[in-house]
Amino acid sequence: MSPSDAFEAEPSRQSRGSALVGSLLLLVDRDAERAARQVELLRAHDAESIEVQADLGEYESARRSGERDFNVWDAVVWHCDARTDAEELTRTLVAWYERFPAVPVVVVANEPDMTVAMAALRGRAADLVARSAGDDGLLAVLERVLRQRPDPIDAISPSNKRALVVGAHPDDAEIGVGGTIHRLVRRGWDATVLTMSHGSGGGDPAERTAEAQRAAHVLGAVLVMEDFPDGAIDDSSATVRAIERVVRRVQPEIVLVHSDKDTHQDHRAVHRATLVAARSVPRVGCYQSPSAMVTFQPNRFVDLRERDLEAKLAAIRAHGSQARTRAYLDEDLVRATARYWGRYANAHFTEPLEMIRASTPTRFRPDGH
Ligand SMILES: [Zn+2]
């Protein structure tokens, strides 16, 4: 097979590379027929999941279904009609953003005049599209809005600035989200790194512990170390309880952990145990490890400044015993990876996250499930 055959063998999709690919969308339209047509259109552009409801205010009842708890939309398309007056438009948008500050709403209106435009502006609509702009007009706007999704850190309420990063081994947190940790601390957050083992599988545990301390110091994070067996960490209740203790003490607004799309069994076990232990934490995201599989599919990107990336590299260098033997700690690769993920967020450097929960702080119940 020649190289060109290999390309042709792939399904031909007009939307390859589009920000719509894999997106979770909420379509709000009282006109069921029009909604059905739009679902088809968005599916044809590889939106992964499209929910339809008639009214933007309906999310409350819909959310009680439970499953929604672990799903947060990437964007909302709200078709207004003649029944939606300007005041209602603003009021509904304001109420929406109180609940879902990170989920942008694109308003589609018949022929938006100045009153409608002002109402959408007051409600902080992500954009306003005239229905006459047609499918192409809507797709272009949606594409732009999805590319400018708020950074997961910026979208967080400033009231609770505590973050917990859980990793199976010393250096996992630094490689996955070292830049994010540095950025959070720079912006006044308290960051705690919980490492579940001393990494005896990759070197002398005492040396690795000292390295982990130095790395945490570089990032400005507090280090907590557990002593589970490197290579044999499971997701049993002992693991869950150990993570729970730290969650209770730190009371984080956001927890970051390994993705389950990872070939390392320790990483997957820590992912599962953390999901249980952090069940009451408003935001849970998964970072990329060098052992992440190609199915790792981030939906949020944390924008890093050069100094965040420099701090990440310095923290990785602190793990000197590993840097000597592990190619994935190579500075070029770390830098290139951050640069690569930057293209998904119109940023120079980013760290990717699979956000699996992003409830608003109002729903934070420290002792509940
Ligand atoms: Zn690891």
Side-chain angles (χ1 to χ4, degrees):
M1 186 192 270
S2 76
S4 64
D5 289 339
F7 280 110
E8 276 154 18
E10 275 183 44
S12 150
R13 303 204 118 136
Q14 49 185 322
S15 55
R16 198 181 298 146
S18 152
L20 274 148
V21 176
S23 57
L24 309 175
L25 302 172
L26 175 62
L27 182 62
V28 181
D29 198 340
R30 288 196 184 106
D31 182 335
E33 246 174 70
R34 185 171 57 203
R37 277 199 308 275
Q38 291 236 304
V39 167
E40 240 171 81
L41 172 75
L42 296 168
R43 286 246 160 83
H45 285 77
D46 285 337
E48 183 178 303
S49 154
I50 305 147
E51 293 173 46
V52 181
Q53 64 189 42
D55 209 288
L56 193 57
E58 273 175 21
Y59 58 83
E60 270 301 350
S61 54
R63 257 178 355 150
R64 278 184 220 119
S65 66
E67 188 245 357
R68 188 70 58 78
D69 235 19
F70 273 81
N71 259 325
V72 72
W73 301 284
D74 292 308
V76 178
V77 177
W78 181 20
H79 284 264
C80 295
D81 54 28
R83 278 186 280 168
T84 319
D85 67 17
E87 207 176 297
E88 186 194 340
L89 182 67
T90 303
R91 199 176 49 239
T92 310
L93 285 170
V94 168
W96 173 267
Y97 284 121
E98 269 171 22
R99 299 276 172 171
F100 303 105
V103 184
V105 181
V106 172
V107 175
V108 185
N110 268 335
E111 280 311 318
D113 57 10
M114 190 56 86
T115 319
V116 173
M118 287 306 291
L121 190 65
R122 277 194 206 99
R124 292 190 296 119
D127 213 326
L128 176 64
V129 192
R131 194 155 286 129
S132 58
D135 290 349
D136 287 347
L138 175 63
L139 288 171
V141 165
L142 206 47
E143 179 81 32
R144 191 185 58 74
V145 167
L146 286 170
R147 283 200 188 279
Q148 292 176 346
R149 270 176 285 187
D151 183 301
I153 303 302
D154 286 334
I156 290 175
S157 141
S159 60
N160 175 8
K161 291 189 165 189
R162 289 185 297 271
L164 174 63
V165 181
V166 188
H169 315 104
D171 79 13
D172 283 339
E174 294 86 333
I175 297 167
V177 278
T180 301
I181 296 171
H182 184 261
R183 183 182 147 182
L184 287 167
V185 171
R186 190 159 64 71
R187 292 170 68 150
W189 285 61
D190 291 324
T192 302
V193 171
L194 168 60
T195 299
M196 299 305 290
S197 75
H198 286 68
S200 57
D204 170 46
E207 188 184 11
R208 296 207 69 185
T209 303
E211 290 173 347
Q213 291 286 4
R214 275 202 297 281
H217 182 76
V218 165
L219 298 177
V222 172
L223 177 69
V224 179
M225 283 188 105
E226 285 290 341
D227 199 11
F228 286 86
D230 186 357
I233 304 177
D234 61 22
D235 60 353
S236 69
S237 60
T239 315
V240 172
R241 275 200 306 275
I243 302 169
E244 265 175 352
R245 275 196 299 277
V246 181
V247 167
R248 259 201 308 279
R249 202 162 71 226
V250 173
Q251 299 270 310
E253 163 70 24
I254 183 164
V255 167
L256 301 175
V257 67
H258 295 282
S259 167
D260 60 343
K261 285 107 169 180
D262 195 301
T263 55
H264 198 307
Q265 73 281 5
D266 283 356
H267 293 177
R268 288 197 307 273
V270 169
H271 164 90
R272 288 192 298 268
T274 301
L275 250 50
V276 179
R279 59 193 174 278
S280 62
V281 175
R283 288 160 204 274
V284 178
C286 302
Y287 57 77
Q288 186 186 30
S289 300
S291 50
M293 294 187 266
V294 75
T295 47
F296 175 77
Q297 195 173 41
N299 52 11
R300 291 291 189 280
F301 301 88
V302 181
D303 195 347
L304 302 182
R305 298 282 170 273
E306 176 70 33
R307 54 189 155 149
D308 300 317
L309 189 67
E310 286 302 328
K312 172 176 187 158
L313 291 167
I316 291 173
R317 275 196 300 272
H319 293 276
S321 69
Q322 305 303 298
R324 287 193 290 273
T325 54
R326 316 242 166 167
Y328 57 75
L329 296 175
D330 183 73
E331 292 211 6
D332 271 358
L333 181 59
V334 173
R335 188 172 274 277
T337 302
R339 183 74 188 96
Y340 170 78
W341 288 118
R343 60 199 275 264
Y344 291 92
N346 289 331
H348 200 71
F349 297 120
T350 66
E351 278 170 343
L353 292 174
E354 292 177 323
M355 287 305 289
I356 56 172
R357 183 158 74 241
S359 351
T360 54
T362 48
R363 298 183 58 241
F364 184 32
R365 287 153 297 174
D367 48 2
H369 288 251

